[in-house]
Amino acid sequence: MTTTLERRYQDRLEEFTARHAFLVDLTMALALMGCATLGGSLTLPGADPPDQDKTATVLMGISCLSLLKHRTHPRTSLTVTAICTVAAIALGYLLTPLMLAPLMAALYWLAADTDRRTTRVYGLTTMVVVTIAAVFADSMDHLSLVLRTIGPFFWLLLPLAAGRGAQVRRAYLRAVQARAEHAERTREEEARLRVTEERMRIARELHDVVAHHMALANAQAGTAAHLALTSPEQTQKILTDLTGTTSSALRELKATLGLLRQNDEDPGSPALEPSPGLARLPELVTACASAGLDVTVTTEGEPRPLSPGVDLTAFRIVQEALTNVTKHAAAEAAHVTLAYTGSRLLITVTNDGPTAAEPAPGRGFGVMGMRERALSIGGELCAGPRPQGGFEVTTALPLQPATHLAEGTTA
């Protein structure tokens, strides 16, 4: 909690500094001017003060005025401050941390606002010049050579280290902010991608449900109208099947839309119907038969259990392939082959109708939807006319999906 409060106050201080930069710089310059003036009046015990009482004030005033340009001209500001400080030392003023305050501030801003090479060149040059001036200054005669050397060097090294640390901290905060922005953009892109995938999945599901049942209903209605006068009993049976087709369509639509409205956190929401799978192929074959399409199903190999996603995908592909036969092909029969080989399920749906009546491969949403379903679980699908006539849809699906489907509970 303490760290959070400190960060909050620090952010507010930085925001205030950025908004009132000149006011902050002027206040800082006046404070440094006071420190430097006080430092110019200090002398060692037993030593005489310099004859020029106001010279240090003038020199420090010039150096503090130059600090007002530290944001735009940090090198010039440091150079002017260093010259004024060396001049004050040469005139006999005692070199104290208070006298060095403007120069220390200039070194800090240089290290914080410029690159490493500039900091090394200007900073080390300034430290060497000031140290040499302190060694030969008359006001420092009462001190040993070690103190005259180490003292200024140490005091001038501190702002360089502090400025470098501030620069590293700003770079770290920028990197953290950049990572946060990148993560936010990534989350937004992922959310948009998930929404797009979900919209496409719902569109495929609705297309499969509506297209299949509407195509069957249309075929059944047409057959019933054709046989209404010549075969009343058969017409009645077809109309009965038509009622079952429309009822099945309504149930699947209700289940699909109910999934969209379902609230997982509501324990009172009604349970969804299980997803359709290959176990419902007999119903599909019966519905196609009532529409005038004779469908035969052949199983090769030992049937194996399928994951819900693969089972749903296999059923929807067979359903869509038979729907296309009912809508586009002048065929009276279709054949479905289920071959369990190794770790894959091979599904082939063929008909012997005229090739010219078939849609071109890849045209329309039916073939595209079947291919998307197969690819979504790591399978593949091919669709096109057969050389001997008719149309063929072949798909190879893994028994276990390569990626988890979100459709496992879709009706």
Side-chain angles (χ1 to χ4, degrees):
M1 181 176 180
T2 303
T3 304
T4 304
L5 291 176
E6 291 177 356
R7 185 177 301 173
R8 183 182 303 174
Y9 287 124
Q10 187 174 6
D11 293 340
R12 290 181 180 178
L13 179 60
E14 291 178 355
E15 181 180 356
F16 178 82
T17 302
R19 187 178 302 175
H20 308 282
F22 180 77
L23 179 61
V24 172
D25 292 344
L26 181 61
T27 304
M28 187 71 66
L30 292 176
L32 293 173
M33 180 64 188
C35 294
T37 302
L38 178 61
S41 64
L42 299 178
T43 58
L44 291 173
D48 296 329
D51 296 334
Q52 301 86 351
D53 294 336
K54 297 182 178 180
T55 304
T57 303
V58 174
L59 291 174
M60 294 301 103
I62 295 174
S63 65
C64 291
L65 286 177
S66 69
L67 293 178
L68 296 176
K69 295 293 184 179
H70 76 88
R71 297 182 185 273
T72 56
H73 302 84
R75 300 171 185 82
T76 303
S77 178
L78 174 64
T79 302
V80 173
T81 305
I83 292 175
C84 293
T85 303
V86 172
I89 296 173
L91 291 175
Y93 289 95
L94 181 63
L95 184 61
T96 62
L98 292 176
M99 175 81 69
L100 289 175
L103 183 58
M104 294 171 66
L107 286 172
Y108 171 82
W109 285 320
L110 178 79
D113 298 334
T114 60
D115 57 275
R116 185 178 301 178
R117 183 176 182 277
T118 301
T119 301
R120 285 200 299 264
V121 172
Y122 281 82
L124 292 178
T125 301
T126 301
M127 293 171 63
V128 171
V129 171
V130 173
T131 302
I132 293 176
V135 170
F136 293 99
D138 295 336
S139 60
M140 308 285 286
D141 288 342
H142 297 80
L143 300 177
S144 65
L145 180 62
V146 176
L147 292 178
R148 281 183 287 175
T149 303
I150 294 179
F153 191 88
F154 174 77
W155 286 110
L156 296 180
L157 184 62
L158 286 179
L160 288 176
R164 181 60 185 170
Q167 189 180 65
V168 171
R169 178 182 177 274
R170 284 202 301 266
Y172 170 75
L173 293 178
R174 286 195 298 267
V176 171
Q177 183 178 3
R179 286 197 298 269
E181 293 175 354
H182 175 72
E184 185 67 22
R185 288 195 303 270
T186 303
R187 283 195 296 269
E188 292 177 356
E189 293 174 0
E190 183 178 357
R192 286 196 295 269
L193 179 60
R194 289 183 179 273
V195 169
T196 302
E197 291 177 348
E198 184 67 12
R199 186 163 56 242
M200 293 179 62
R201 184 188 67 81
I202 295 171
R204 285 198 306 267
E205 196 67 25
L206 289 176
H207 172 270
D208 291 347
V209 172
V210 174
H212 169 69
H213 290 94
M214 291 301 294
L216 285 180
N218 180 69
Q220 290 169 337
T223 305
H226 179 71
L227 299 176
L229 298 178
T230 60
S231 181
E233 295 182 358
Q234 190 175 356
T235 300
Q236 184 177 2
K237 180 180 182 302
I238 293 175
L239 291 177
T240 303
D241 294 338
L242 177 60
T243 303
T245 300
T246 55
S247 299
S248 178
L250 291 175
R251 284 197 304 271
E252 291 203 28
L253 282 175
K254 182 179 179 181
T256 302
L257 297 177
L259 177 64
L260 301 179
R261 294 180 178 179
Q262 185 188 31
N263 184 3
D264 294 336
E265 298 178 357
D266 185 8
S269 58
L272 298 177
E273 295 183 3
S275 302
L278 294 180
R280 291 180 56 178
L281 274 183
E283 299 179 18
L284 185 60
V285 170
T286 302
C288 290
S290 66
L293 179 65
D294 184 19
V295 180
T296 58
V297 179
T298 303
T299 302
E300 299 177 359
E302 183 68 23
R304 301 177 190 177
L306 304 176
S307 67
V310 175
D311 201 14
L312 172 65
T313 301
F315 177 79
R316 290 303 189 198
I317 289 176
V318 173
Q319 182 186 56
E320 180 61 27
L322 294 178
T323 301
N324 289 340
V325 174
T326 304
K327 291 193 301 183
H328 303 293
E332 297 181 355
H335 186 72
V336 179
T337 302
L338 306 177
Y340 294 86
T341 59
S343 60
R344 301 178 76 82
L345 169 62
L346 303 180
I347 301 176
T348 304
V349 181
T350 59
N351 69 83
D352 54 0
T355 304
E358 299 293 347
R363 181 179 299 176
F365 296 107
V367 174
M368 181 172 61
M370 288 190 292
R371 183 172 289 110
E372 289 175 353
R373 283 186 178 275
L375 293 176
S376 67
I377 60 171
E380 54 188 16
L381 182 139
C382 297
R386 297 194 303 166
Q388 63 272 33
F391 202 80
E392 181 178 82
V393 175
T394 303
T395 181
L397 305 177
L399 297 182
Q400 298 296 327
T403 57
H404 295 289
L405 285 179
E407 301 174 341
T409 57
T410 304

